């Protein structure tokens, strides 16, 4: 697969660029265009807190908690399902670990590689 590599801040140089994918997230009638960091080795989709709020979701501590590892291991996370669409590909339902911090948005392109994540094909570096 190929994805466009870009920086998240204009002050960064090309060596800071990472693979990113822009797509439309829909939840409860609200739509939001987002750009996520592509992590082809991820086993979970990560959704930053602010994006869930902008989609109209309310944090509910009574939902089951998801244990994350690495730099997100100290933050609470709960499941959140939304529909993602990019390019001419059909929409897909994705389940995220909605993290109560503003970590980068990370869609898991292994589980959805035949759908949304293929939209970047032919536009950048191989992963």
């Amino acid at each position: 697969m190929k994805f466009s590599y870009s920086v998240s801040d204009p002050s960064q140089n090309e060596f800071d660029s990472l693979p990113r994918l822009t797509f439309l997230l829909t939840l409860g009638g609200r739509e939001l265009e987002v750009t996520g960091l592509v992590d082809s080795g991820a086993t979970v989709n990560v959704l930053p807190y602010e994006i869930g709020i902008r989609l109209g979701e309310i944090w509910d501590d009574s939902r089951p908690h998801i244990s994350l590892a690495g730099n997100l291991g100290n933050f609470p996370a709960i499941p959140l399902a939304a529909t993602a669409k990019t390019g001419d590909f059909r929409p897909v339902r994705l389940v995220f670990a909605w993290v109560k911090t503003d970590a980068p948005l990370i869609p898991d392109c292994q589980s959805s590689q035949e759908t949304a994540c293929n939209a970047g094909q032919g536009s950048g570096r191989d992963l």
Side-chain angles (χ1 to χ4, degrees):
M1 277 193 259
K2 292 185 179 187
F3 294 92
S4 296
Y5 278 53
S6 62
V7 294
S8 58
D9 184 297
S11 67
Q12 295 173 306
N13 66 38
E14 67 178 281
F15 298 110
D16 295 320
S17 59
L18 296 168
R20 300 179 198 281
L21 177 68
T22 299
F23 54 99
L24 187 66
L25 271 181
T26 305
L27 179 65
R30 291 191 185 190
E31 292 183 337
L32 184 62
E33 185 176 84
V34 297
T35 299
L37 175 64
V38 176
D39 184 348
S40 60
T43 56
V44 64
N45 299 315
V46 175
L47 187 74
Y49 183 73
E50 179 62 29
I51 292 177
I53 296 297
R54 290 176 59 198
L55 285 169
E57 195 61 24
I58 297 171
W59 187 271
D60 181 358
D61 278 321
S62 68
R63 286 190 195 168
H65 282 249
I66 300 169
S67 295
L68 297 175
N71 63 341
L72 297 176
N74 293 327
F75 297 98
I78 59 176
L80 186 145
T83 301
K85 171 132 179 48
T86 189
D88 294 330
F89 293 91
R90 65 179 175 78
V92 293
R93 191 81 165 152
L94 297 177
V95 176
F96 292 89
W98 184 26
V99 182
K100 205 164 190 180
T101 186
D102 287 325
L105 174 64
I106 304 174
D108 169 18
C109 288
Q110 288 181 334
S111 65
S112 55
Q113 69 187 115
E114 293 304 319
T115 55
C117 289
N118 275 341
Q121 201 162 3
S123 62
R125 299 183 195 163
D126 285 327
L127 288 182

